[in-house]
Amino acid sequence: MRICADHQMQNWDKYQKSIKPTAPPPVPESKKNCKTHKDEKLQFYCKACLLPLCTNCKLTKHEGHKTRDLWEEIAEQRDNLPFKLSQIRTSFLPMVKQQLKELEDHGGTLSYNVKGTIGNIEKRSKVMKDEIDRTSKKLVDTLKHKENKDLSKLESRKQTLNGFVRKINTAITSGERLLQSGDDFEIMELYQNVIEMIKQLNELLKRRPGKTKYTFQDGQLNQSQLSTMFGNYAVKGPTVETQQALKTVRSRGSRSVVPTLQVVPEVHPRLLKTFTCKSIPGNKVSAIAPISDMEAWICFGWTTNEIYLYNKEGYRLKRLVLKHPVDDLAVDHDGNLIVSTFTGSVIRIVDKKLQVRDFFLCPLRCRGLAVSNAGEIIVCGVDTCTAMPPPARSTIFKYTARGNKSGHLEGDRAKRIPIHPYRVAENIDGSIAISDWISDKEGRVVVFSHDGKIRMVYYGNGSSEADRSFLPYGICTDKYGHILVGDIIRQEVHLLDVKGHFITVLLSRTDLDNERPYSLAVDHMGTLWVGNERAQLKIFRYLVNQSHIV
């Protein structure tokens, strides 16, 4: 495309593809030798210490450590580095920028809010005499001190996030340059730096600050207590909880418990669209996987091998027939569709051209799927898919984006948690929430912390055992750390906080037209998709301050 008399502009992606990859430059002989044993060649890589080794190092200082061939390790790191760079570009950089935007927005509203609160304090002080004026001044000074501290914290957080934005951009630029011209050891050094940066980003993003709001509350005109008579300011925002041991507890439906690091916007559901899918093999909407803010893949029932792509207006765009019945759907960071099979243990992947291939084999039969912020694939595994009798074995498996097993969550075997993990979702702090069936009439939500320990077990918001009828099916999370779970017995959608405590009934039986919410999903815009047993999709907007998550 011509943009001026002597220059033309070309699409960067096409230009990149037109460049033939160059072979890595030869490694200097000095870098091939061990720094400790100068005459020995580096041949091995220590997986425990993350260092290249010669034969002497392996047999002495690193004896007993797990090692592999050095050049195989470098080749693997060279292959993995583009994925890691893409990971911090597509996952961490937007999250850092999002937090930065929220802090900038809150900085302005905080000062405006404090100014209004101080105005109310000063109006109140006019009806009092000398002692009242003294109390007023004390409160104003305290409130301004609070404002300065809050603004100082916000500024410090902004500087930290800006610093990471610069680091990320530098790492991406350096990585792309080294992939073209860097030698093996420069690649290995950059790879380790990127891994360390990802660890720092994970820790940074977990420490999301809460938002506070100040209001003034009138006091009682009691002559014996001047401060009570005058009033006091109140802080409205996330409450700080003490660190407790991570153990299994039951929520009693308290609305006042809010996680320390959670940003809690106002919640008010509003129905945007309802449509019924026709000419389909089943009625129950068993899985929803949004691929954008306008479209989602949908499966109807657990015995069909067909899935369909619909948009928010209810128009069917595509139909895909697989070889085996589909259980659950998820979308990875590259836009590929991940599919679990109701009758087997093979996870399949569908690329953007709708080409299907086997991805990896799970040790147990696969049920619910989720893709983590880091690109890992989380799978609910059971030895049988029946609710009664329940499975004898169940585990939550983790796989890398390449399909290699990376870990699993056992839960609490003594208490049989979980029994039948049906659906799974990862939250913003790295915790994992599952809908777990105890029987065909009872269930619970189990929340695992990022280190794999059970953080919380939610049995519904009933105040008594008789009132606690709860069978969760669909489960998902949003960008504010909420957990959304559909209860098919009460025909409700519950909103939980990041730790699994009950906040409110988000969608009532009336909101759902007395239909059971079998599947839930939140798309990139924060819009909630709910599928019921009549092949019907309801789409809600439930966050009042929707612009924060666009």
Side-chain angles (χ1 to χ4, degrees), residues 17 203 265 306 350 459 516 520 534:
K17 292 178 181 179
E203 291 299 318
E306 299 178 12
V350 183
Y459 289 86
R516 297 175 178 177
L520 307 177
R534 292 197 299 114

Side-chain angles (χ1 to χ4, degrees), residues 121-174:
I121 294 172
E122 292 172 344
K123 288 179 182 178
R124 181 72 171 169
S125 69
K126 291 179 181 179
V127 302
M128 304 297 176
K129 296 196 178 180
D130 295 340
E131 284 294 320
I132 302 287
D133 291 333
R134 185 183 64 82
T135 305
S136 172
K137 186 177 183 304
K138 180 179 178 181
L139 281 174
V140 170
D141 291 343
T142 304
L143 192 59
K144 286 184 176 181
H145 177 66
K146 291 278 188 180
E147 177 192 8
N148 291 334
K149 287 180 64 177
D150 288 345
L151 290 175
S152 177
K153 291 178 181 178
L154 289 174
E155 187 60 31
S156 176
R157 181 72 174 180
K158 286 166 61 177
Q159 291 177 2
T160 302
L161 293 177
N162 277 318
F164 270 95
V165 169
R166 290 192 294 270
K167 287 184 179 179
I168 290 172
N169 288 327
T170 301
I172 292 172
T173 303
S174 300

Side-chain angles (χ1 to χ4, degrees), residues 59-85:
L59 297 177
T60 54
K61 186 177 179 180
H62 297 266
E63 184 179 7
H65 291 187
K66 186 177 180 180
T67 61
R68 65 177 299 188
D69 181 80
L70 174 62
W71 308 109
E72 291 180 359
E73 176 66 25
I74 290 176
E76 182 175 314
Q77 290 187 12
R78 180 180 285 275
D79 289 341
N80 288 339
L81 183 57
F83 170 73
K84 295 297 181 182
L85 293 172

Side-chain angles (χ1 to χ4, degrees), residues 48 85 92 143 149 197 249 308 359-360 370 379 390 436 493 505:
L85 293 172
F92 292 102
L143 192 59
K149 287 180 64 177
M197 182 184 298
V249 293
Y308 301 85
F359 194 12
F360 59 82
V379 183
D436 183 34
V493 174
V505 174

Side-chain angles (χ1 to χ4, degrees), residues 173-365:
T173 303
S174 300
E176 292 172 345
R177 177 177 56 80
L178 288 179
L179 283 173
Q180 296 292 330
S181 60
D183 62 42
D184 289 335
F185 283 89
E186 288 175 329
I187 290 292
M188 186 170 60
E189 181 181 359
L190 178 61
Y191 183 86
Q192 300 301 329
N193 291 337
V194 170
I195 293 297
E196 183 61 26
M197 182 184 298
I198 291 175
K199 291 180 180 178
Q200 294 176 5
L201 287 169
N202 274 319
E203 291 299 318
L204 174 70
L205 294 174
K206 288 175 187 176
R207 300 192 297 272
R208 175 178 292 209
K211 296 179 180 179
T212 55
K213 182 179 180 180
Y214 297 90
T215 59
F216 179 70
Q217 297 177 347
D218 290 346
Q220 299 294 324
L221 293 178
N222 188 336
Q223 297 295 332
S224 62
Q225 295 183 349
L226 191 58
S227 60
T228 302
M229 178 176 60
F230 185 84
N232 206 338
Y233 66 86
V235 180
K236 291 186 178 181
T239 60
V240 179
E241 297 181 349
T242 57
Q243 181 67 27
Q244 299 177 346
L246 295 176
K247 58 183 181 180
T248 303
V249 293
R250 293 190 175 196
S251 171
R252 295 293 181 180
S254 172
R255 294 172 64 96
S256 61
V257 182
V258 183
T260 306
L261 302 180
Q262 186 183 17
V263 179
V264 185
E266 186 180 352
V267 174
H268 182 72
R270 180 166 64 91
L271 181 63
L272 301 179
K273 182 72 177 180
T274 300
F275 62 88
T276 301
C277 305
K278 299 180 180 180
S279 302
I280 51 171
N283 290 326
K284 293 178 181 177
V285 181
S286 55
I288 306 172
I291 61 173
S292 68
D293 56 349
M294 292 299 297
E295 300 173 354
W297 282 100
I298 301 172
C299 180
F300 300 91
W302 297 270
T303 58
T304 175
N305 61 340
E306 299 178 12
I307 58 175
Y308 301 85
L309 183 66
Y310 279 84
N311 64 15
K312 279 184 177 177
E313 297 302 317
Y315 294 106
R316 182 191 297 180
L317 306 178
K318 294 178 182 178
R319 171 177 175 265
L320 180 63
V321 180
L322 293 92
K323 293 182 179 180
H324 303 278
V326 175
D327 195 325
D328 199 12
L329 307 169
V331 179
D332 68 12
H333 292 180
D334 295 325
N336 301 313
L337 190 64
I338 312 298
V339 183
S340 64
T341 305
F342 181 70
T343 57
S345 56
V346 176
I347 299 294
R348 293 176 171 84
I349 187 169
V350 183
D351 62 23
K352 294 180 180 179
K353 296 181 180 179
L354 301 188
Q355 299 299 310
V356 184
R357 62 179 174 87
D358 292 351
F359 194 12
F360 59 82
L361 181 67
C362 188
L364 298 175
R365 295 175 71 171

